[in-house]
Amino acid sequence: MQQDKIVVGLDIGTTKICALVGRKNEYGKLEILGMGKAVSEGVQRGVVLNIDKTVDAIKRAIRQAEEQSGIDIGVVNVGIAGQHIKSLQHNGSITRPSGDNEITQDDVNRLTADMYRLVTPPGSQIIHVMPQDYKVDFEGGVTDPIGMAGVRLEGNFHIITAQSAAINNINKCVTKAGLAIADLILEPLASSVSVLSDEEKEAGVALIDIGGGTTDLAVFKDGIIRHAAVLPFGGNIITQDIKQGCNVTPNQAEQLKVKFGKAIAEEASDYEIVSIPGLPNRPPKEVSLKNLAYIIEARMSEIIELVYAEIYRMGLQDHLSAGIVLTGGGSQLQNLEQLTEYLTGLDTRIGYPNQHLGKGKIEAVKSPMHATGVGLVLAGYQAQDERLARPGYGEEEMAAAPYSYQPAAHAPAPVVPSFVPAPAAAPAAPVAPAASTPETPKPPKEQKGLKFLGDITRKLKGILIDDFDDKQY
């Protein structure tokens, strides 16, 4: 049953690594069974720079999630982000042997698989291929060609690429932690699953996910993603500005931002002053909240203007009837909604990952800083639903899910990942360099875990996912 299947999301962020264990309840809502967090010291701006530190943080986060949920974790959905993420549009076509037969899912799969054969710049790989619309015998505007008759099938696709080195480093970190990757998902897409409604995606909306090291952008229109980008600026750069502008330590700068920071300087009092402890044998330091707000407003305005410039560059500024949704840890700054509306002229709200969550004991997951983690879990269930809908996919394959829920009191034995996706009818995508040969983990997960990771990494399947960092501002 659906509520017996367990999905784990692993958010590898700049300031923290978070693991969430989720299960669907009988009402179709997501229950978070366990959450683990660890300080991320090996990741900078969404990119892994220190393998050992990142592996240690992943292990700590996974251990906490296992202890809280009573689940032995072996397979995870992992988010990927960073300035290396690129977005492009491409058109492809296939010719069918006969126009009398109906277009099938196999034909659509074959067309999609052809997109993975595109020649990308050296050192980059395709991670997502997402259909925009189709043409059947040159008749455009088709959203679902299955069942139609025609000889020539064309499709417009939105393609996301990432650096091979970044993918390989994530694979290596996860594998060294004794885990296998079920899916590698672009983080703004994961966040969109948890905070955006179908109505917003249909009307046109821009999701801005402000993380610790990066700010992610995903633009939707007519229910389809139209553009995705990652900017190398996040909440950490604001902390650095406060550190230099107020001449305080990094920890003090972070606390000033979180507790007293405002995104609009006019909203801060001219007479409020905060006294913070000085260094040993030195007097306390006084910081004006007005000056603090000026520092935050200047940097945050720059980030929002850069994001809007990206939207304007793609010509999407007039297609956002639903405005802007802010999420991630950085979205919790006071008055950020008003600042965004002032700079862009678009309606703005804060996105909370609540609409898909059921009742649970872990209230912390309802914060915008966990939008990506919740989205990674939800994306895992979407992927299972898509596999079920695939022709020829048997119930026995779905029964072999990576996890089965067992109460913590029974001290369950380690669960070995056993889910291997059914082979697609379309030709396989080209083998990703180096990413499919991870280091050998400890038994008993060696054979199945490596095979699972190799299959997924080679295909790097594009899944349309309706933060990217530690969502801590």
Side-chain angles (χ1 to χ4, degrees):
M1 298 177 63
Q2 185 80 349
Q3 57 262 33
D4 294 331
K5 298 178 178 65
I6 305 297
V7 176
V8 181
L10 181 63
D11 179 14
I12 302 177
T14 301
T15 53
K16 72 168 173 50
I17 291 177
C18 181
L20 294 178
V21 182
R23 174 186 62 175
K24 286 285 187 73
N25 61 20
E26 62 272 22
Y27 305 106
K29 294 293 186 178
L30 182 65
E31 293 181 355
I32 301 300
L33 305 176
M35 179 175 68
K37 291 194 297 183
V39 176
S40 178
E41 298 178 344
V43 182
Q44 184 175 355
R45 293 182 176 178
V47 178
V48 176
L49 298 181
N50 189 301
I51 299 292
D52 293 336
K53 290 183 178 179
T54 304
V55 170
D56 290 341
I58 292 175
K59 288 181 177 179
R60 292 197 302 271
I62 292 295
R63 190 181 307 115
Q64 291 178 18
E66 287 179 333
E67 292 173 353
Q68 194 169 33
S69 64
I71 301 296
D72 287 283
I73 299 173
V75 184
V76 293
N77 287 326
V78 182
I80 184 171
Q83 192 181 8
H84 58 89
I85 298 294
K86 303 298 179 185
S87 174
L88 59 97
Q89 305 284 335
H90 193 80
N91 179 272
S93 64
I94 60 172
T95 301
R96 304 176 64 245
S98 172
D100 297 331
N101 298 327
E102 293 182 350
I103 295 174
T104 65
Q105 183 66 49
D106 289 343
D107 296 321
V108 176
N109 289 344
R110 183 156 61 97
L111 177 59
T112 303
D114 285 344
M115 295 299 101
Y116 282 102
R117 298 187 178 90
L118 292 178
V119 178
T120 58
S124 66
Q125 295 177 220
I126 297 174
I127 60 173
H128 291 300
V129 173
M130 297 168 287
Q132 307 283 283
D133 54 42
Y134 297 94
K135 290 183 180 179
V136 178
D137 287 345
F138 304 100
E139 187 67 32
V142 179
T143 57
D144 186 4
I146 297 176
M148 300 180 66
V151 175
R152 182 179 176 85
L153 175 63
E154 300 178 66
N156 294 316
F157 292 89
H158 187 82
I159 297 173
I160 305 293
T161 66
Q163 272 188 358
S164 301
I167 296 174
N168 295 342
N169 287 334
I170 290 177
N171 288 334
K172 183 175 292 187
C173 290
V174 175
T175 304
K176 280 191 170 185
L179 306 169
I181 298 179
D183 285 303
L184 190 67
I185 303 168
L186 183 64
E187 291 192 352
L189 296 182
S191 299
S192 70
V193 179
S194 63
V195 302
L196 297 183
S197 66
D198 293 337
E199 292 79 6
E200 287 175 323
K201 293 178 182 178
E202 188 70 26
V205 65
L207 174 70
I208 302 177
D209 190 335
I210 306 173
T214 58
T215 296
D216 309 331
L217 169 67
V219 183
F220 292 83
K221 175 66 177 175
D222 298 329
I224 300 170
I225 185 169
R226 301 299 181 179
H227 185 60
V230 178
L231 303 177
F233 302 101
N236 287 354
I237 196 171
I238 300 176
T239 302
Q240 290 295 322
D241 289 345
I242 297 173
K243 171 181 171 293
Q244 296 180 7
C246 298
N247 195 22
V248 295
T249 66
N251 289 336
Q252 291 171 340
E254 181 68 22
Q255 293 179 19
L256 284 171
K257 180 183 68 174
V258 172
K259 295 181 179 180
F260 306 105
K262 296 180 183 293
I264 298 179
E266 293 181 357
E267 297 294 327
S269 171
D270 294 326
Y271 308 104
E272 285 189 278
I273 295 176
V274 175
S275 178
I276 59 178
L279 295 175
N281 301 321
R282 296 186 183 181
K285 184 179 293 292
E286 294 183 345
V287 176
S288 168
L289 295 189
K290 190 76 168 182
N291 292 339
L292 177 67
Y294 275 122
I295 295 172
I296 295 175
E297 180 182 356
R299 181 62 76 177
M300 189 55 74
S301 297
E302 180 184 8
I303 293 174
I304 295 173
E305 288 171 354
L306 286 172
V307 173
Y308 189 72
E310 182 70 16
I311 297 174
Y312 192 88
R313 183 178 70 86
M314 301 304 298
L316 297 169
Q317 70 279 3
D318 296 327
H319 301 280
L320 303 179
S321 300
I324 292 175
V325 176
L326 299 171
T327 192
S331 66
Q332 297 176 101
L333 269 174
Q334 296 183 50
N335 309 121
L336 185 56
E337 290 176 86
Q338 295 90 321
L339 178 64
T340 304
E341 290 180 349
Y342 172 76
L343 293 175
T344 65
L346 297 171
D347 293 337
T348 304
R349 73 172 179 89
I350 304 298
Y352 293 86
N354 295 339
Q355 57 180 331
H356 301 289
L357 290 176
K359 292 183 178 179
K361 299 179 180 179
I362 307 176
E363 293 295 324
V365 298
K366 296 182 179 180
S367 168
M369 70 173 60
H370 294 298
T372 297
V374 174
L376 289 172
V377 178
L378 291 169
Y381 279 100
Q382 285 191 355
Q384 289 183 2
D385 293 340
E386 290 178 8
R387 293 178 186 123
L388 272 179
R390 185 183 304 158
Y393 193 85
E395 288 293 335
E396 67 278 1
E397 293 167 301
M398 195 61 194
Y403 306 97
S404 59
Y405 177 73
Q406 299 175 356
H410 296 314
V415 178
V416 180
S418 58
F419 175 77
V420 179
V431 178
S436 61
T437 57
E439 297 185 19
T440 305
K442 299 182 295 185
K445 300 178 182 178
E446 179 178 6
Q447 294 181 354
K448 294 182 180 179
L450 284 179
K451 184 178 188 304
F452 183 89
L453 177 58
D455 290 343
I456 292 300
T457 308
R458 283 194 297 271
K459 293 184 180 180
L460 293 175
K461 303 184 323 181
I463 298 176
L464 176 57
I465 306 301
D466 289 355
D467 175 87
F468 185 29
D469 301 311
D470 173 279
K471 303 307 175 280
Q472 174 176 334
Y473 58 102

